[in-house]
Amino acid sequence: MSTCKGAWKLQEVRDQILAGEWIQYDASLDPGTLWSWGDNGDGQLGTSTGNISQSSPIQIPGTSWIDVAASSNTGFARKSDGTLWGWGDNNNGQIGDNTILRKSSPVQIPGTSWNDISGAGSVLARKTDGTLWGWGYANRGALGDNTTINKSSPVQIPGTSWNSVSGGETHTMARKTDGTLWSWGYNRYGKLGNNSLTNTSSPVQIPGTSWSDVSAGSAHTVARKTDGTLWSWGYATEGRLGNDLITPRSSPVQIPGTSWNNVSTGRGGNHTLATKTDGTLWAWGRRSSGQIGDNTREAQSSGRSSPVQIPGSWSGIHAGTSSSFARKTDGTLWSWGYNGSGNLGDITSINRSSPVQIPGTSWNDTASGTFTLARKA
């Protein structure tokens, strides 16, 4: 069973119905308010309050927000009317407003009918017609538009029928409605997963079919198939691949376990969170700042190389650069890991190696870079 986010994404619903899936509407994903905390050196908190960091949630102006994304110092959010907004650092044109000027409050990105968005070094966003668009950093082909030239406004990525997208630090993964998986950008350590080490500036297909979810990290990628199995490839140091491997892989290798549900990698980081269908939460990879959440903190050379369980019953996850966030079924939001700029939102600047609760309730999806964005329903 899948959940339909916000105002019904009609094309996805149609695809899921044709595939014989049950659709469940989740009212907690309705439009709501947007909140931020953490570092604010580039105005990435979006509140027009100068460059002062915040260690607890503050509200960003506006309502009807239904989706959030973040790169290192730039925030993005989508409204229920299909408009897309950005703010913060803009040195590579990553806000997408046809300038390279930083913004300390949300400005609209050209276009309408935007659907999901993913931000990292490059920014990728999908429209309701299944087209995919990118802007920002393009070195080594990271945008996927067959160039290496930065863009300050949206340009279309080749192909149609795109269903979801996940941007890593220098590479991108995207899935089509037919269950195929595609990648482009920087291919060091084989993180594109196409059995090569060659960079590519346009989409290339990953072996296999029936892919249902994907998350691109700094130097590795993790993806789930419709049968509930989980697969990884790319850089293996510090246990990033989650299957006890210590050498890089340029094509998918399976992670132990079944019934995997959701997955999230730190887009600028080196750890992974994943949930199973029973609501359990698992983590692996780097743990130097406590971002695994298993009450340990070790040197960077000593990560978790296979999934370890985090206590509790969870319904939503987000892996940041060196911090982690997870939501429980009661709408409470929890965080752990690096907290130097108040990233965890717990009114302190102390790193945490196990989950601590963030003030407030009715929390929904979360995104983070050097700061954190979260939405309430």
Side-chain angles (χ1 to χ4, degrees):
M1 180 180 290
S2 60
T3 300
C4 181
K5 290 183 67 175
W8 291 87
K9 296 198 276 188
L10 296 178
Q11 182 61 46
E12 291 185 20
V13 172
R14 175 183 178 274
D15 295 336
Q16 290 169 333
I17 291 173
L18 290 176
E21 296 184 26
W22 287 97
I23 309 297
Q24 178 183 11
Y25 181 73
D26 186 348
S28 70
L29 299 179
D30 283 335
T33 55
L34 189 58
W35 302 72
S36 62
W37 59 88
D39 184 47
N40 197 29
D42 289 298
Q44 59 264 48
L45 295 188
T47 57
S48 299
T49 54
N51 297 329
I52 302 173
S53 299
Q54 300 288 335
S55 61
S56 61
I58 55 175
Q59 188 173 351
I60 295 175
T63 57
S64 301
W65 302 106
I66 62 172
D67 197 12
V68 296
S71 62
S72 179
N73 300 304
T74 311
F76 303 92
R78 184 168 56 96
K79 290 193 173 186
S80 56
D81 62 2
T83 57
L84 188 59
W85 302 71
W87 61 93
D89 185 25
N90 198 23
N91 64 322
N92 291 315
Q94 61 264 48
I95 288 180
D97 66 338
N98 208 30
T99 77
I100 55 172
L101 303 174
R102 70 177 62 177
K103 308 293 190 303
S104 61
S105 61
V107 296
Q108 189 174 345
I109 297 169
T112 57
S113 303
W114 293 107
N115 212 308
D116 53 334
I117 179 171
S118 181
S122 309
V123 180
L124 284 300
R126 186 171 58 91
K127 291 194 173 187
T128 53
D129 63 0
T131 57
L132 188 61
W133 301 73
W135 58 94
Y137 185 72
N139 192 26
R140 299 187 177 98
L143 280 187
D145 68 337
N146 211 30
T147 77
T148 55
I149 302 170
N150 292 356
K151 305 296 191 303
S152 61
S153 60
V155 294
Q156 190 171 349
I157 311 303
T160 57
S161 302
W162 297 107
N163 186 261
S164 64
V165 61
S166 177
E169 190 172 29
T170 54
H171 76 295
T172 300
M173 308 297 303
R175 186 172 57 90
K176 291 194 174 187
T177 54
D178 62 2
T180 57
L181 188 60
W182 302 72
S183 64
W184 56 91
Y186 189 34
N187 200 19
R188 190 179 185 188
Y189 306 119
K191 60 185 175 180
L192 296 188
N194 62 350
N195 206 31
S196 82
L197 299 176
T198 304
N199 301 341
T200 178
S201 60
S202 59
V204 293
Q205 189 174 347
I206 309 302
T209 57
S210 302
W211 298 105
S212 63
D213 192 16
V214 63
S215 188
S218 172
H220 75 294
T221 303
V222 183
R224 181 173 56 92
K225 290 193 173 187
T226 54
D227 63 1
T229 57
L230 202 59
W231 303 72
S232 61
W233 54 93
Y235 199 38
T237 299
E238 300 174 273
R240 292 171 226 219
L241 298 188
N243 46 26
D244 290 320
L245 295 175
I246 59 174
T247 56
R249 292 292 190 270
S250 61
S251 59
V253 289
Q254 190 172 349
I255 294 172
T258 57
S259 302
W260 294 105
N261 189 28
N262 293 310
V263 61
S264 178
T265 60
R267 286 172 185 154
N270 307 288
H271 74 292
T272 299
L273 302 177
T275 57
K276 292 192 174 187
T277 53
D278 61 3
T280 56
L281 175 60
W282 303 74
W284 61 91
R286 179 179 290 182
R287 53 177 170 162
S288 56
S289 297
Q291 59 264 53
I292 294 299
D294 64 344
N295 209 30
T296 67
R297 187 182 302 129
E298 300 291 343
Q300 291 187 4
S301 60
S302 176
R304 291 291 190 190
S305 61
S306 60
V308 293
Q309 187 174 349
I310 311 305
S313 181
W314 308 91
S315 64
I317 53 173
H318 170 74
T321 301
S322 299
S323 53
S324 299
F325 302 86
R327 182 170 53 93
K328 291 191 174 184
T329 53
D330 62 2
T332 57
L333 186 61
W334 301 70
S335 60
W336 57 96
Y338 179 73
N339 199 21
S341 298
N343 309 59
L344 299 186
D346 67 339
I347 322 179
T348 77
S349 57
I350 302 169
N351 291 358
R352 306 288 187 178
S353 59
S354 59
V356 293
Q357 188 174 347
I358 296 172
T361 57
S362 303
W363 292 106
N364 210 292
D365 44 338
T366 308
S368 70
T370 59
F371 68 112
T372 304
L373 295 175
R375 189 173 61 86
K376 289 190 175 186

